[in-house]
Amino acid sequence: MLDVRIDLHTHSSVSDGTDDPAALVRAAADAGLDVVALTDHDTTAGWRAAAEALPPGLTLVPGAELSCESVDDEGRRVSVHLLAYLFDPTAPELVAEQERLRIERRGRLRAIAVRMAEDGLPVDPDDLLAGLPTDTAAGRPHLARALVRAGLVHSVQEAFDRYLATGREYYMAKADTPVEAAIDLITAAGGATVLAHPFAGTRGPTITEETVAALAGRGLSGLEVDHPDHDPAARARLAGLADELNLVHTGSSDYHGANKSATPGQETTDPAQFTALVERASANAGGTGPATRPVGGAWGAWEEAGTGS
Ligand code: AMP
Ligand code: FE
Ligand code: FE
Ligand code: ZN
């Protein structure tokens, strides 16, 4: 297949994107994509709506981006994002961990907002949380948008740069999943795992090459090589590391709607690499498959279980 355009990392309004899942798949089709993965933070709540709205010709890869942590050489906590694809979203241990993370996210976002309000900044913690359904993964971008609406800053990016980014005054960490445990959960649920933007240094300390090698030995499937936050040097190091460790290379936009400047398909994944990723998921029994219209087959199993929404 020539010219197949594949973007394996996007966010809808079910986490910190601004397009609802139906609008997101339409935006993907409008951008000329053939395959799009929906990878909301710590939730699969958008899968059904995205699948139901799939335009003809677009394939949906159901996924999520799991909030994880590791430690670097100096013993510092490192935030690690793990993309997970094609897993069974009803796997009980995974469901429990995602629920824990969503509760953790709400508590942490409220704590940040309370500290800001105490310092006289224009944010109402109750209003902020009331606007976020409980199956939504509450994140700093939601607070950043509230600060834009209140006129304190001009953009979500300015809110991060001045207040919310790692190391800024109102940054607070949360209790994420150890990345090894997250890989085990997804492998047991029949999915494949890819480290998201592993060397995006502007977000804080990044994962070490030694840890990446250890994760490869634990069942990690791939590395996100092409990402808007990777400079050419980071891409070259990651491509080399992926080859050395026999991992799949992906490229993706990390589209967040109006919350970030990336557009769907801004970075793409080579079709042969996508095929390899699907094969790695298939090697782990019990997952789901990509969805095309009409939605059916193995894809329907989790929907029938009534927990796909
Ligand atoms: P949270 O999940 O609440 O920790 O927020 C993380 C999300 O905020 C990421 O997925 C990005 O969407 C966004 N983000 C993180 N760091 C930055 C940054 N320095 N500038 C802009 N957006 C960021
Ligand atoms: Fe995000
Ligand atoms: Fe991420
Ligand atoms: Zn992301």
Side-chain angles (χ1 to χ4, degrees):
M1 286 197 290
L2 288 176
D3 261 0
V4 177
R5 287 170 49 77
I6 303 166
D7 186 341
L8 295 178
H9 185 169
T10 70
H11 296 266
S12 77
S13 56
V14 157
S15 65
D16 58 5
T18 55
D19 292 353
D20 66 34
L24 185 135
V25 292
R26 285 194 300 271
D30 290 348
L33 286 170
D34 301 287
V35 177
V36 67
L38 178 65
T39 53
D40 279 306
H41 297 284
D42 305 319
T43 181
T44 58
W47 287 15
R48 181 197 296 262
E52 285 175 355
L54 261 187
L58 182 64
T59 294
L60 176 69
V61 178
E65 185 176 14
L66 311 183
S67 304
C68 301
E69 57 192 27
S70 174
V71 261
D72 71 7
D73 295 338
E74 279 114 65
R76 291 180 298 185
R77 174 189 182 275
V78 177
S79 163
V80 177
H81 287 178
L82 185 72
L83 292 162
Y85 300 106
L86 301 165
F87 56 89
D88 172 5
T90 69
E93 288 182 2
L94 181 64
V95 169
E97 180 60 2
Q98 295 213 322
E99 235 163 66
R100 183 192 72 76
L101 280 166
R102 289 196 301 270
I103 293 167
E104 174 79 16
R105 283 177 162 282
R106 292 180 84 80
R108 175 259 208 155
L109 200 68
R110 173 181 289 280
I112 297 175
V114 164
R115 282 179 47 215
M116 289 187 132
E118 283 170 358
D119 289 347
L121 297 174
V123 51
D124 181 325
D126 292 331
D127 277 0
L128 178 69
L129 274 296
L132 294 170
T134 49
D135 65 353
T136 301
R140 286 175 283 162
H142 293 110
L143 175 52
R145 284 183 84 75
L147 298 175
V148 173
R149 284 194 299 274
L152 185 69
V153 287
H154 294 101
S155 66
V156 167
Q157 189 60 55
E158 188 187 346
F160 270 91
D161 294 344
R162 285 179 56 188
Y163 302 107
L164 300 174
T166 309
R168 306 307 299 171
E169 185 175 358
Y170 295 98
Y171 174 74
M172 287 177 70
K174 50 188 165 46
D176 290 336
T177 314
V179 63
E180 295 81 5
I183 290 174
D184 293 350
L185 282 173
I186 296 297
T187 303
T193 50
V194 171
L195 283 179
H197 46 74
F199 293 162
T202 55
R203 300 164 182 233
T206 54
I207 195 165
T208 63
E209 294 196 11
E210 292 68 31
T211 305
V212 175
L215 297 179
R218 200 167 176 125
L220 178 73
S221 317
L223 299 178
E224 193 174 53
V225 174
D226 293 309
H227 181 281
D229 293 351
H230 285 156
D231 61 19
R235 293 174 196 232
R237 264 175 75 208
L238 282 163
L241 200 55
D243 286 343
E244 196 181 303
L245 299 170
N246 190 29
L247 295 171
V248 171
H249 308 195
T250 68
S252 301
S253 66
D254 203 358
Y255 175 67
H256 278 72
N259 276 344
K260 283 194 179 172
S261 59
T263 54
Q266 176 176 329
E267 311 266 359
T268 55
T269 296
D270 179 82
Q273 296 292 323
F274 174 58
T275 302
L277 184 67
V278 175
E279 281 168 2
R280 297 218 185 186
S282 306
N284 297 330
T288 180
T292 47
R293 246 181 120 186
V295 174
W299 174 260
W302 58 269
E303 289 194 295
E304 279 150 29
T307 44
S309 62

